[in-house]
């Protein structure tokens, strides 16, 4: 059955595309649409064609099965050109989210009407490609080069009102009835004597002038900094810039050529992997049977860095929040922080004062834990100390109903142990938010031995409401992210003690594409946190483990990073300006001497190889222990919580791309010097033996 049907209503042909759930532009849709257009083009009686895709949304973009690949004919660009060249009026009647190819089809129509709820966009850049069906040429003709480049470089969704004022659409309908909207609009256009209006011939918003060249230069300048490691943003700018100097058909061919170059780029592979990985994270056993319970009222214990951030994340998702702190002073401090964060959002026009006040109305704070007795979910964010956490959970066990979900935001501690102090451990779970919790997307959902499926399902549902990216983790010291972080952090200390400069290490990591170097991260999080963890673990350390004392020497001086204005770097007003602390190199030299190490020189490749190897090493261990259920979950943790570049796919995907045999070879080489730290993981050896990659475990 064809996915594209049409009927004729007087002199108007109504095309209805139906490919549920989101009317993706699959090969069958393309074939059907082209055939329909061809049939209608020769029907003299028809004066106007209305393209609709009723149900949930107008064409929402490419079929994900074809994402970023070379697709079967007919390609969408040819269909768009054909639509535009029709000598009858073509109206696209939009609703929902006409994105990517969906908007490209709409822009090839002669007129566009949209339901009030419509949002349009060309988000191809997020997948490492460019709009390759005429989008880079038609969008600037409709809304001008400035807005078109902004939309295509960010991939943002533009609401109907803005789409109308900028010229992307011609009219906003009064309701969401996309069929009636289209037909009424086509009738009116015919009645008023409107003619076909090919977008390719609209010239008043584009011109190859000095101002346009200067504007494009500005975009190039920003892109060279902001997207320096990416390929497609630069290809998008080139396509627009070069298109201005070419005839439309040549500009379209040029766009196609650049599109194909994007397809070949390694960044495309990483970004597409990230896209799918972020959708596979919910494929976990508990969600098959678990039923999420309804949450309305949330309690937060602790109003420090995390408690305030989690409170805001909860309120932003519409939850009523009560926060518990130890004393009034702490309450005032927490309130002031929340208040100033929202004030900043008002100042930046992200929210209105009214919205801020409404949100703040959902918040209250108390020193009395019993005030949490009516809560559906409580998230504990007190100090990282097992005794303190257990004491809180013992009290919650007495105060709250046995159904209330009790979550801990612990970074490392054993959630199974925390759960032992309550009568009903099936409702205890780890919800590991990342700082700042109102902004960072990642949420590790730590499933303890006795956590019920319903509790897990509720946590995933909460994440969805908070617009977080949840990843299931089992219980171990540090869960997925911090456990891997601990491994490569120690690996980095080894390198530094062996002679590498911390600042060189950071530069290599940044050049690789990570948001920050590891020593910058330590300074941001606070060196004291790692110091406390090292002290906690000291009694369990094996006598043969290599222990580097450099970070202890730094902490002993009270240099905890940004919070003390001094750490590995020096901080003044501008914390973004990287100024190495000169005394760090002196400490490193002293420590190398003390440990009897003759420093050697490290080049960039050696640093990066070891850094990645440590990450992949621990990732492999975590997979064998089923702490992470699949490699792509580890990738999601790192690209959403640790600044690992999405365009490299995440550490496990990156390992696949460079070859597991190469990683294993490096690990074996390192293990000759330090067999305790680098003993090759069996799973990695097995995969290499079987000529498989991590993707085979996804
Ligand atoms: N800071 C981070 O980047 C980060 C990230 C993820 C998870 N975590 C975890 O979140 C938790 C909190 O960390 P933080 O950075 O917000 O610490 P913080 O020191 O900034 O805040 C802790 C707050 O808890 C309050 N508190 C302590 N005991 C209390 C009690 N019995 N009742 C009520 N309030 C109490 C303290 O007054 C303090 O304000 C820790 O378990 C930490 O490991 C921290």
């Amino acid at each position: 059955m064809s996915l594209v049907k049409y009927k004729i209503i007087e002199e108007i042909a109504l095309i209805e595309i139906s490919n549920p759930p989101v009317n993706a532009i699959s090969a069958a849709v393309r074939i059907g649409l082209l055939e329909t257009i061809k049939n209608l083009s020769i029907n003299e009686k028809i004066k106007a064609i209305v393209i609709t895709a009723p149900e949930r949304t107008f064409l929402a973009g490419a079929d994900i099965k074809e994402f970023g690949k070379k697709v079967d004919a007919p390609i969408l660009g040819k269909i768009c050109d054909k639509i535009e060249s029709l000598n009858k009026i073509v109206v696209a009647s939009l609703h929902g989210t006409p994105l990517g190819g969906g908007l490209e089809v709409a822009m090839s129509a002669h007129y566009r009407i949209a339901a009030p709820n419509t949002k349009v966009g060309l988000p191809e850049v997020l997948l490492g490609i460019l709009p390759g069906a005429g989008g880079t040429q038609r969008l600037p003709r409709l809304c001008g080069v400035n807005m078109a480049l902004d939309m295509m470089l960010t991939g943002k969704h533009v609401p109907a009102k803005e789409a109308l004022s900028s010229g992307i659409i011609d009219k906003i309908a009064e309701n969401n009835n996309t069929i009636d909207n289209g037909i009424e609009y086509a009738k009116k256009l015919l009645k008023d004597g409107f003619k076909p209006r090919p977008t390719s011939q609209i010239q008043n918003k584009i011109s190859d002038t000095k101002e346009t060249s200067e504007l494009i230069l500005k975009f190039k300048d920003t892109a060279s900094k902001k997207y320096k490691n990416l390929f497609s943003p630069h290809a998008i700018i080139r396509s627009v810039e070069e298109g201005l100097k070419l005839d439309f058909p040549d500009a379209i061919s040029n766009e196609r050529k650049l599109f194909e170059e994007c397809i070949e780029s390694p960044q495309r592979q990483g970004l597409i992997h990230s896209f799918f990985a972020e959708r596979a994270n919910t494929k976990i056993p508990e969600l098959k049977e678990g039923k999420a319970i309804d949450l309305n009222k949330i309690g937060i214990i602790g109003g420090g860095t995390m408690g305030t951030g989690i409170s805001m994340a909860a309120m932003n998702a519409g939850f009523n929040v009560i926060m518990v702190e130890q004393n009034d002073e702490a309450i005032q401090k927490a309130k002031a922080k929340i208040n100033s964060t929202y004030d900043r959002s008002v100042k930046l026009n992200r929210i209105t004062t009214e919205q801020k006040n409404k949100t703040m109305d959902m918040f209250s704070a108390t020193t009395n834990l019993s005030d949490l007795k009516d809560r559906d979910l409580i998230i504990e964010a007190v100090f990282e100390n097992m005794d303190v956490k257990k004491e809180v959970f013992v009290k919650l066990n007495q105060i709250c109903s046995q159904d209330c979900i009790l979550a801990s935001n612990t970074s490392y501690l054993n959630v199974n142990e925390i759960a032992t102090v309550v009568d009903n451990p099936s409702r205890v779970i780890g919800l590991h938010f990342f700082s700042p919790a109102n902004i960072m997307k990642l949420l590790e959902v730590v499933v303890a031995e006795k956590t019920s499926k319903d509790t897990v399902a509720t946590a995933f549902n909460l994440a969805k409401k908070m617009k977080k990216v949840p990843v299931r983790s089992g219980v171990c010291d540090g869960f997925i992210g911090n456990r891997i972080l601990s491994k490569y952090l120690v690996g980095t200390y080894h390198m530094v003690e062996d002679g590498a400069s911390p600042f060189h290490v950071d530069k290599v990591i940044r050049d690789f594409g990570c948001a920050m170097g590891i020593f910058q991260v330590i300074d941001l999080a606070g060196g004291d946190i790692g110091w406390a963890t090292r002290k906690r673990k000291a009694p369990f350390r094996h006598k043969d483990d290599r222990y580097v004392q450099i970070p202890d020497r730094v902490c002993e001086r009270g240099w905890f990073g940004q919070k003390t204005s001094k750490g590995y770097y020096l901080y003044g007003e501008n914390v973004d300006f990287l100024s190495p602390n000169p005394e760090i190199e002196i400490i490193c030299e002293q420590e190398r001497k003390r440990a009897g190490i003759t420093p050697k020189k490290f080049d960039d490749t050696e640093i990066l190889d070891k850094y990645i190897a440590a990450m992949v090493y621990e990732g492999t261990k975590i997979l064998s222990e089923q702490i992470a259920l699949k490699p792509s979950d580890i990738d999601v943790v790192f690209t959403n919580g640790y600044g690992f570049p999405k365009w490299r796919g995440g550490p496990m995907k990156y390992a696949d791309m460079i070859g597991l045999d190469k990683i294993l070879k490096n690990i074996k080489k390192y293990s000759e010097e330090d067999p305790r730290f680098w003993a090759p993981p069996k799973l990695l050896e097995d995969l290499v033996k079987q000529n498989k990659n991590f993707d085979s475990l996804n």
Side-chain angles (χ1 to χ4, degrees):
M1 202 182 73
S2 173
L3 304 183
V4 182
K5 289 188 279 191
Y6 72 88
K7 58 181 165 217
I8 296 174
I9 305 158
E10 295 164 15
E11 52 186 3
I12 296 173
L14 172 71
I15 298 179
E16 288 183 54
I17 303 167
S18 172
N19 185 22
V22 293
N23 283 320
I25 310 171
S26 62
V29 167
R30 293 197 301 276
I31 291 168
L33 185 56
L34 186 61
E35 243 174 46
T36 309
I37 296 288
K38 277 184 182 161
N39 282 342
L40 295 175
S41 68
I42 48 174
N43 188 334
E44 293 290 325
K45 284 189 210 132
I46 293 170
K47 299 282 179 269
I49 296 172
V50 176
I51 305 176
T52 67
E55 297 163 27
R56 212 161 95 191
T57 171
F58 189 79
L59 309 171
D63 187 341
I64 57 170
K65 290 185 217 94
E66 296 179 347
F67 262 11
K69 295 183 190 151
K70 282 188 177 152
V71 299
D72 293 338
I75 59 166
L76 188 64
K78 292 268 175 266
I79 303 168
C80 289
D81 293 346
K82 179 85 189 153
I83 292 172
E84 194 186 76
S85 68
L86 289 170
N87 62 357
K88 314 161 185 304
I89 284 181
V90 185
V91 169
S93 181
L94 314 179
H95 70 296
T97 47
L99 302 172
L103 181 58
E104 289 182 298
V105 169
M107 290 193 296
S108 69
H110 303 142
Y111 300 93
R112 284 154 293 281
I113 181 166
N117 69 357
T118 312
K119 281 187 180 162
V120 300
L122 292 178
E124 285 83 348
V125 71
L126 305 177
L127 300 172
I129 54 176
L130 57 71
T136 66
Q137 302 307 310
R138 290 194 177 94
L139 188 60
R141 281 168 168 77
L142 293 175
C143 65
V145 170
N146 192 16
M147 176 152 179
L149 276 177
D150 181 39
M151 276 175 72
M152 291 189 284
L153 293 176
T154 58
K156 71 180 181 189
H157 297 184
V158 173
K161 263 193 189 162
E162 201 184 334
L164 177 69
S165 62
S166 60
I168 300 171
I169 60 170
D170 300 289
K171 191 172 163 62
I172 298 181
E174 273 166 25
N175 60 52
N176 295 326
N177 189 332
T178 186
I179 292 181
D180 289 355
N181 292 342
I183 294 192
E184 289 311 311
Y185 189 42
K187 276 186 185 163
K188 173 122 181 52
L189 290 169
L190 287 175
K191 187 165 154 258
D192 295 347
F194 279 79
K195 299 275 174 262
R197 185 192 57 178
T199 307
S200 61
Q201 285 168 32
I202 298 175
Q203 292 295 333
N204 61 332
K205 290 198 178 161
I206 53 155
S207 50
D208 188 15
T209 59
K210 193 165 159 260
E211 287 85 66
T212 313
S213 305
E214 279 169 9
L215 180 69
I216 291 179
L217 210 64
K218 241 167 83 190
F219 273 102
K220 278 186 176 171
D221 192 41
T222 312
S224 67
K225 294 177 199 123
K226 206 167 165 189
Y227 312 114
K228 73 171 188 285
N229 294 308
L230 296 178
F231 182 81
S232 73
H234 308 284
I236 288 170
I237 299 175
R238 265 184 68 192
S239 187
V240 172
E241 182 183 30
E242 291 166 7
L244 293 174
K245 300 182 193 335
L246 297 168
D247 289 342
F248 195 78
D250 291 340
I252 290 285
S253 308
N254 189 48
E255 176 191 270
R256 191 77 211 155
K257 189 185 96 227
L258 289 164
F259 174 81
E260 279 168 12
E261 283 177 24
C262 290
I263 296 274
E264 298 304 327
S265 72
Q267 288 93 335
R268 196 266 317 160
Q269 219 190 111
L271 286 168
I272 300 250
H273 172 80
S274 294
F275 178 89
F276 283 109
E278 282 175 26
R279 278 146 191 84
N281 60 340
T282 51
K283 286 188 189 128
I284 60 163
E286 289 87 354
L287 294 193
K288 284 192 188 133
E289 291 166 32
K291 279 204 167 50
I293 61 159
D294 238 10
L295 296 178
N296 293 303
K297 299 173 190 167
I298 294 185
I300 312 277
I301 310 178
T305 309
M306 294 311 289
T308 47
I310 300 168
S311 296
M312 288 187 273
M315 293 188 291
N316 295 344
F319 293 104
N320 173 291
V321 169
I322 298 181
M323 174 194 282
V324 180
E325 252 296 350
Q326 303 196 91
N327 51 50
D328 288 337
E329 196 190 332
I331 287 182
Q332 291 319 321
K333 211 171 136 197
K335 267 191 182 164
K337 180 166 173 215
I338 294 176
N339 210 32
S340 68
T341 306
Y342 283 123
D343 275 344
R344 201 165 341 114
S345 297
V346 172
K347 219 167 155 188
L348 294 170
N349 281 329
R350 290 191 184 133
I351 54 169
T352 62
T353 308
E354 244 182 322
Q355 282 167 323
K356 178 207 151 179
N357 293 340
K358 219 171 133 194
T359 309
M360 287 304 286
D361 283 348
M362 292 193 277
F363 179 78
S364 58
T366 171
T367 52
N368 187 357
L369 208 61
S370 308
D371 289 344
L372 298 184
K373 64 176 181 302
D374 70 339
R375 301 286 102 179
D376 309 312
L377 161 72
I378 293 170
I379 305 170
E380 163 278 307
V382 302
F383 302 130
E384 183 77 343
N385 176 301
M386 183 56 90
D387 294 337
V388 177
K389 297 214 188 260
K390 275 186 178 170
E391 203 183 312
V392 168
F393 275 71
V394 165
K395 288 183 189 152
L396 291 176
N397 187 46
Q398 291 154 3
I399 293 166
C400 305
S401 93
Q402 287 297 311
D403 303 327
C404 170
I405 293 181
L406 304 179
S408 173
N409 181 49
T410 176
S411 311
Y412 287 91
L413 300 176
N414 187 331
V415 183
N416 290 329
E417 192 180 332
I418 296 175
T420 56
V421 302
V422 303
D423 294 330
N424 173 14
S426 74
R427 44 57 182 268
V428 175
I429 194 162
L431 288 180
H432 185 211
F433 289 84
F434 286 70
S435 178
N438 50 321
I439 292 174
M440 291 293 283
K441 288 266 173 239
L442 180 64
L443 176 63
E444 279 183 326
V445 176
V446 184
V447 180
E449 266 163 21
K450 296 191 173 151
T451 310
S452 72
K453 290 174 184 151
D454 289 355
T455 303
V456 178
T458 309
F460 270 76
N461 208 25
L462 172 79
K464 195 173 171 190
K465 287 195 174 149
M466 286 183 166
K467 298 200 174 90
K468 299 286 179 203
V469 180
V471 174
R472 183 198 188 282
S473 170
V475 175
C476 66
D477 203 276
F479 319 121
I480 298 175
N482 281 345
R483 176 166 156 186
I484 295 178
L485 169 82
S486 302
K487 183 78 183 183
Y488 64 79
L489 186 56
V490 173
T492 308
Y493 290 148
H494 290 174
M495 280 195 274
V496 170
E497 196 180 50
D498 286 339
S501 149
F503 310 112
H504 183 193
V505 171
D506 272 7
K507 182 173 181 309
V508 170
I509 298 168
R510 284 193 306 272
D511 287 350
F512 175 73
C514 291
M516 282 183 175
I518 183 91
F519 292 98
Q520 282 175 272
V521 172
I522 297 171
D523 275 1
L524 177 71
D528 51 326
I529 293 177
W531 196 23
T533 309
R534 290 194 296 280
K535 285 182 195 161
R536 174 171 64 84
K537 290 185 181 170
F540 314 106
R541 199 179 303 133
H542 193 281
K543 65 178 178 33
D544 296 331
D545 281 351
R546 180 174 174 188
Y547 184 75
V548 176
Q549 296 181 27
I550 293 169
D552 295 344
R553 295 296 92 79
V554 176
C555 287
E556 281 155 13
R557 286 164 168 78
W559 299 345
F560 298 149
Q562 291 191 13
K563 64 171 94 165
T564 55
S565 298
K566 201 171 189 179
Y568 290 89
Y569 296 87
L570 302 175
Y571 299 92
E573 284 283 289
N574 184 1
V575 292
D576 294 331
F577 178 72
L578 278 184
S579 169
N581 176 354
E583 290 163 275
I584 294 291
E585 295 281 20
I586 299 169
I587 293 176
C588 291
E589 271 168 36
Q590 287 168 348
E591 279 303 303
R592 286 171 198 137
K593 259 195 203 131
R594 190 196 53 75
I597 288 170
T598 313
K600 64 169 211 141
K601 277 205 162 16
F602 278 82
D603 64 23
D604 292 9
T605 313
E606 269 177 290
I607 290 173
L608 186 64
D609 280 354
K610 211 164 204 177
Y611 187 76
I612 295 290
M615 236 181 228
V616 176
Y617 181 103
E618 204 59 22
T620 313
K621 289 269 198 189
I622 273 178
L623 284 171
S624 348
E625 293 168 30
Q626 297 195 319
I627 299 297
L629 297 184
K630 49 190 180 302
S632 69
D633 283 350
I634 299 176
D635 289 335
V636 174
V637 166
F638 274 83
T639 52
N640 285 279
Y642 294 80
F644 197 97
K646 276 198 184 182
W647 56 273
R648 295 214 190 256
M652 309 313 269
K653 174 70 183 174
Y654 181 68
D656 276 355
M657 291 202 274
I658 59 174
L660 298 194
D661 52 342
K662 188 175 170 229
I663 303 261
L664 182 62
K665 202 171 141 208
N666 282 340
I667 288 177
K668 282 185 171 164
K669 188 174 74 191
Y670 308 145
S671 76
E672 283 166 18
E673 279 183 19
D674 187 350
R676 283 193 60 76
F677 191 79
W678 288 108
K682 185 172 177 313
L683 176 62
L684 187 60
E685 289 188 311
D686 289 348
L687 287 170
V688 172
K689 236 183 256 159
Q690 295 159 20
N691 205 13
K692 286 186 173 165
N693 59 13
F694 285 122
D695 205 28
S696 66
L697 306 176
N698 277 325

